[in-house]
Amino acid sequence: MAAKEKLEAVLNVALRVPSIMLLDVLYRWDVSSFFQQIQRSSLSNNPLFQYKYLALNMHYVGYILSVVLLTLPRQHLVQLYLYFLTALLLYAGHQISRDYVRSELESAYEGPMYLEPLSMNRFTTALIGQLVVCTLCSCVMKTKQIWLFSAHMLPLLARLCLVPLETIVIINKFAMIFTGLEVLYFLGSNLLVPYNLAKSAYRELVQVVEVYGLLALGMSLWNQLVVPVLFMVFWLVLFALQIYSYFSTRDQPASRERLLFLFLTRK
């Protein structure tokens, strides 16, 4: 039981460190200077960089999201990371499928795979990768409906049925669109979950403040977030990143002196 409590404590700290790092990045990011550099570059005509005030608002939204992630209960935070891991796995499945289709187009071989060793090797490698991705997604999402994550196997199935390569490209695009629709459906079905969580958290905060006062609320958050350990880990991560940056640029004297100065003067 003690080992389980220690593991939960470590997990509670580790999952909240990225939120603090994101807050640090947002705090140090000068939006005005960033847009001035964009205007002097070739990206000035890009529609994404035409609306400065939209970027400023998104900057503040990033602050809000970081604070929300920082204060989420551990079980909800774990679930959120699992969803993010599933999205990464689905993207990996898409990459495996896209690379396989590209390699098949480059080989231009449309015959039976067992007659061409290289084609068979590519198929086997892609099939194993897709099976691993589907299995991991099923385990992470705790469902036995593995077919929900197997859309990217359609190009492999089409190749096995000797479908022309041009058609396999279309099937691969369809698989990507189908997976994207699945993700959008999931997001849409859980659209009100953040609102309900925020509403429940606000109700609990009001009850705690009315009964025990602001000091008790502050102490509760302090204990829940393990603030001293959390910031110690955050500073250790920054320390490690600074050392890595220093040694990765040690062959460049100017960069080395600049990074060493930043390292010694960072608070």
Side-chain angles (χ1 to χ4, degrees):
M1 188 62 66
K4 182 180 179 181
E5 292 178 355
K6 290 182 179 179
L7 180 61
E8 290 179 351
V10 171
L11 191 66
N12 185 42
V13 172
L15 294 180
R16 299 183 193 279
V17 170
S19 302
I20 299 184
M21 297 194 70
L22 182 58
L23 284 171
D24 183 67
V25 170
L26 291 172
Y27 175 74
R28 296 178 182 278
W29 183 36
D30 188 352
V31 182
S32 300
S33 176
F34 171 75
F35 269 88
Q36 290 177 0
Q37 295 177 2
I38 290 296
Q39 291 175 355
R40 292 193 295 265
S41 67
S42 59
L43 296 175
S44 57
N45 296 325
N46 194 312
L48 294 175
F49 302 104
Q50 294 294 322
Y51 305 100
K52 178 179 178 180
Y53 295 104
L54 178 61
L56 288 173
N57 292 332
M58 294 302 295
H59 187 245
Y60 295 126
V61 170
Y63 275 114
I64 296 173
L65 291 178
S66 300
V67 173
V68 170
L69 291 177
L70 182 62
T71 56
L72 270 180
R74 186 179 62 250
Q75 61 271 21
H76 295 296
L77 197 58
V78 170
Q79 196 66 35
L80 183 63
Y81 274 98
L82 290 179
Y83 292 152
F84 182 71
L85 177 60
T86 304
L88 290 179
L89 289 171
L90 290 174
Y91 178 75
H94 165 66
Q95 289 294 110
I96 293 172
S97 180
R98 188 183 67 172
D99 293 341
Y100 173 74
V101 172
R102 181 186 300 168
S103 61
E104 287 297 305
L105 289 174
E106 291 175 354
S107 67
Y109 175 73
E110 297 186 355
M113 290 179 295
Y114 59 85
L115 297 179
E116 177 64 32
L118 292 177
S119 180
M120 191 66 187
N121 289 337
R122 289 192 297 267
F123 178 83
T124 304
T125 303
L127 180 61
I128 293 175
Q130 293 288 12
L131 288 176
V132 170
V133 168
C134 293
T135 304
L136 289 176
C137 287
S138 178
C139 293
V140 170
M141 296 299 292
K142 297 179 181 179
T143 178
K144 295 181 180 180
Q145 297 176 337
I146 195 172
W147 61 269
L148 291 171
F149 314 103
S150 57
H152 292 305
M153 297 183 69
L154 289 177
L156 300 177
L157 180 61
R159 182 66 183 89
L160 191 63
C161 298
L162 301 180
V163 175
L165 296 179
E166 292 78 7
T167 308
I168 292 179
V169 175
I170 298 175
I171 293 175
N172 184 45
K173 292 180 179 179
F174 168 78
M176 182 180 64
I177 294 173
F178 181 79
T179 304
L181 291 175
E182 283 186 314
V183 173
L184 290 177
Y185 173 77
F186 177 80
L187 293 176
S189 61
N190 294 275
L191 192 61
L192 295 179
V193 171
Y195 171 75
N196 293 331
L197 285 176
K199 185 177 179 180
S200 176
Y202 176 75
R203 189 184 302 114
E204 293 179 2
L205 289 177
V206 171
Q207 291 177 355
V208 171
V209 171
E210 289 179 352
V211 177
Y212 301 103
L214 287 174
L215 181 60
L217 175 62
M219 294 298 297
S220 176
L221 289 176
W222 181 278
N223 294 329
Q224 177 185 346
L225 301 180
V226 201
V227 174
V229 179
L230 184 61
F231 277 95
M232 183 187 69
V233 174
F234 167 65
W235 286 321
L236 286 175
V237 171
L238 290 181
F239 180 78
L241 289 176
Q242 292 287 358
I243 292 179
Y244 172 77
S245 299
Y246 172 73
F247 283 105
S248 63
T249 58
R250 59 183 178 180
D251 295 331
Q252 305 174 10
S255 300
R256 182 181 61 187
E257 293 176 0
R258 180 174 58 86
L259 289 170
L260 183 59
F261 174 76
L262 291 174
F263 172 73
L264 293 175
T265 58
R266 189 182 184 99
K267 296 182 180 180

